[in-house]
Amino acid sequence: MLSNKLMLLLRARPSLNNSIQRQWMSRPMYFQTASRQLQKESHSRGHGLGKPSLRGTESKQVKGGMSKTDWTLSGRKVAPRRDWSRPNDMSKRHGDESSTKTMGRNDNHSHMTSKRGSSNETMAQRKERKRQEEELQALVKEEEKERRLIEARKTKEKTERQQHQVKDVYIPEIINVANLSRVLGVRNEQVIRTMEELEMGSTLHDRMLNADESSLIAMQLNMNPIVDSKQSIDLYPRSKSIDPSLLIDRPPIVTIMGHVDHGKTTLLDTLRKTSVAAGEAGGITQHIGAFSVKLPSNKAITFLDTPGHAAFSSMRQRGAQVTDVIVLVVAADDGVMPQTQEAIEHAHAAKVPLIVAINKCDKPGVDTMRVKQELSRYNVHLEEIGGDVPCVEVSGLTGKNLDQLEETIVTLSEVLELKAEQVNDAEGVIIESQIEKGRGNVATVLVRQGTLKVGSVIVAGQTWCKVRSMVDHQGKTVKAATPSMPVKVIGWKDIPQAGDEMLTAKDESLAKTVVENRVARNEREQQLRDLQVINDKRRKQRTQLEQERMAEKAYKKEMYMYQKGLCETIPESLGKRLSAIQTTLKEEAGEMAEEENEKLEFRAVVKGDVSGTVEAVVDCLGGLQNKQIKVKVVQSGVGNISESDLQLAAACNGQVIGFNVKADKKILAEASKLGVSVKSYSVIYKLLEEVKDKLSDMLPAIVSTQVIGEAALLQVFEINTKGRETRPVAGCRVTNGAIQKNGRVRVVRNKETIWEGELSALRQVKKDISEAKKGLECGMSFEGFNDFQPGDIIQSIKTVETKQKL
């Protein structure tokens, strides 16, 4: 558009066109045009070539009386004289003359053009020409501005296009800084600079980064990090339904908790009319039992029986997390005990309502009021004293008030309005898992929502199962398990862990993918823990190296100043400084490396009947340790003791511990051949006692010194020996105990031991004696020691070794 306007203006004014064209002409052509114009004007005025026209002006005079331009005289050319007394630059003179001539011609041409334009143009035409020139310049400026805007817009579009073209990079789970720069395709310095901007700490090339840190660096560099999309596939529980028509009433899940031997299992035994307590080892429960009880009112209650021993704390906590109501059993004759307090803490942490059942009320002379007062001290306020916790006095042996306990549980469940979905896929929790002969891997599942059917595909933890069959607590086959119903599920690929969440998958392929992802995630978490340990170790090494370098520089500086006489004290040696740094760093770490290396280990392979029991045994063994020894469980699992367990124990110089599992004759023969100790237990406290004894045997004995007699050195005598030689003899009086000739003695001076060794002679007058008792005066000589003085104390000592105990 601007170009068209420009062409129209040029066509409208030819003079303007000529002017613009002259501006673009070359310099020589312009001079030729001016020369022709001057030549025409000279011919028109009658001047010949070489005869300058004065135009009414005076010519400049030079020496000799001639003008600078008029140098023709009588038809003969005479050159002006040159002054040879001053130097003259010919090229400069000619250049000046040439430029002067050119400027003069330009001035003449401009003057003539202006004069001709002024004679031909009127005032209005000049204004019009000036206006058109200004309009033309404005159009040129506007066109230049528009061109700049177009270029800026193109640059911006190019930048935005580059920003939208994000590069996809595939990042592994763990990678160091140097390899990450290769993966991202950038220089290592750029990655380090990005890490500094993100304040990620150490930027060394060998620092290990996890997937989250690597992805953050990639996004900062305008890249799209891709770790693994398949890893995002997992199963999650459904959100609570908001449609009340899908919810139905479900039986309450009640957990029986309390101290060991307070009658929990006997109470449940009476409720379900069977005998369980008599068949339990040691008379105590050692796993969680789950079963349903149908009341006379056709209402059902699901009971969970948890162990009361201190070793089963995790099992009690798990029972509190899956329950709706907790029945706290307290024996009327014992009151509140340590496991009772722990059960109360679990109930408060899980925010589960409590019902207190004071058991053994049939015993004569029991005071239930004392138990109620003890409970109030642990923030359990009963309804009788204005609280909100119901309390029932029962007897598990006689069945006293058990119907009242059942009514209290049903009433509390109605107040809680326990409802669940029944038509959707099943969700639940693993109560126990074990290996049964003829059934394989079996797990007790408590259904929380939905319906579990035979043939369903379920996932729990890091294993999955296609339900082959289900049985209830009485051994009857069940085709469908509804909410709050505990069943044994058969068909697991591996043994799930107690407490794992059970979810239903659509098909086997989805279940396999979910399990693979969970296993990979678990391995990745383990790698990250190892990575953290590696980074911490490297950080400590760098800190130590930096401090050692600083100490070395300080030592060199101080030594230089000492050698120059600037410092009078001798600098501390470099070795002492470096050792002090190493000691400080070890103390900050919390443990000395030498002590860690010297720490004894009791290695064990643990096998049990159910997963919850194995977990409890492993936790208890891990707590049996001190600064000198610890228990290391090399491997644990569910099932009978196998040959692989024996081989592993032999390789690590350990032993096999079985809990509620036995080893057959073949396994025992193989164990004796390999020299591996195999022990089986059925009661948890017996297992712990024997392991403590073995740990005590492994510990070094405590060596102590006992003083069994003391004697005061009164005088030093010199006696003759063979060869006319003399030797000193200590004349002593026994002040306490007895001095044994064959025992060790020590010489004490000013409460400090100056010598310790054996006696060479013990005599009374000239008679050798084996023992000097209190009040007896005797002479003593010592093996290799003669530097004794009157006033020293002679002590007879005995070394006693005492066995350490955990």
Side-chain angles (χ1 to χ4, degrees), residues 235-237 427-430 459-461 497 499-503 518:
L235 294 177
Y236 301 97
E427 296 179 4
V429 63
I430 305 295
V459 176
Q497 298 296 320
D500 288 343
E501 188 178 33
M502 186 274 294
L503 300 171
R518 291 182 177 181

Side-chain angles (χ1 to χ4, degrees), residues 110-170:
S110 301
H111 176 73
M112 292 174 61
T113 305
S114 173
K115 187 176 181 181
R116 186 171 62 251
S118 61
S119 60
N120 295 334
E121 290 182 354
T122 61
M123 185 65 69
Q125 289 176 343
R126 282 199 300 271
K127 289 183 179 180
E128 181 66 18
R129 180 172 58 81
K130 188 175 181 181
R131 186 187 64 79
Q132 289 181 356
E133 289 177 354
E134 292 176 354
E135 186 177 355
L136 179 61
Q137 292 177 358
L139 289 174
V140 171
K141 290 181 180 180
E142 187 176 353
E143 185 178 13
E144 182 68 16
K145 182 179 179 181
E146 187 174 353
R147 185 181 61 80
R148 286 197 301 267
L149 290 175
I150 292 173
E151 291 178 355
R153 186 167 60 252
K154 287 182 178 179
T155 304
K156 185 177 180 181
E157 290 175 355
K158 184 178 179 181
T159 304
E160 291 178 354
R161 190 163 56 251
Q162 291 177 353
Q163 291 178 353
H164 288 300
Q165 292 176 353
V166 180
K167 178 183 176 183
D168 293 338
V169 290
Y170 294 88

Side-chain angles (χ1 to χ4, degrees), residues 708-709 738-745 759 762 769-772 796:
I708 60 176
I739 304 295
Q740 302 287 339
K741 180 181 178 182
N742 297 328
R744 294 183 65 84
V745 295
L759 290 174
L762 177 63
I769 58 175
S770 60
E771 184 182 23
S796 178

Side-chain angles (χ1 to χ4, degrees), residues 314-363:
S314 59
M315 298 177 72
R316 283 192 298 275
Q317 184 179 7
R318 185 160 57 247
Q321 290 173 350
V322 300
T323 189
D324 300 317
V325 179
I326 291 178
V327 175
L328 182 64
V329 179
V330 185
D333 54 349
D334 282 347
V336 178
M337 299 296 285
Q339 273 68 59
T340 310
Q341 302 174 20
E342 186 182 304
I344 294 172
E345 293 174 359
H346 289 323
H348 288 163
K351 297 181 179 180
V352 178
L354 271 173
I355 296 177
V356 175
I358 301 178
N359 198 14
K360 302 182 180 181
C361 289
D362 56 332
K363 279 190 173 185

Side-chain angles (χ1 to χ4, degrees), residues 275-332:
S275 181
V276 176
E280 291 179 340
I284 62 172
T285 304
Q286 298 177 120
H287 356 82
I288 294 181
F291 55 89
S292 295
V293 174
K294 199 152 190 176
L295 304 179
S297 60
N298 287 331
K299 291 187 177 181
I301 300 177
T302 299
F303 284 100
L304 302 179
D305 183 16
T306 62
H309 195 273
F312 299 97
S313 174
S314 59
M315 298 177 72
R316 283 192 298 275
Q317 184 179 7
R318 185 160 57 247
Q321 290 173 350
V322 300
T323 189
D324 300 317
V325 179
I326 291 178
V327 175
L328 182 64
V329 179
V330 185

Side-chain angles (χ1 to χ4, degrees), residues 435 495 605-611 614 618 635-640 661:
I435 299 176
I495 299 176
V605 177
V606 179
K607 298 299 289 288
D609 57 341
V610 294
S611 60
V614 173
V618 172
Q635 188 181 36
S636 62
V638 178
N640 292 324
V661 293

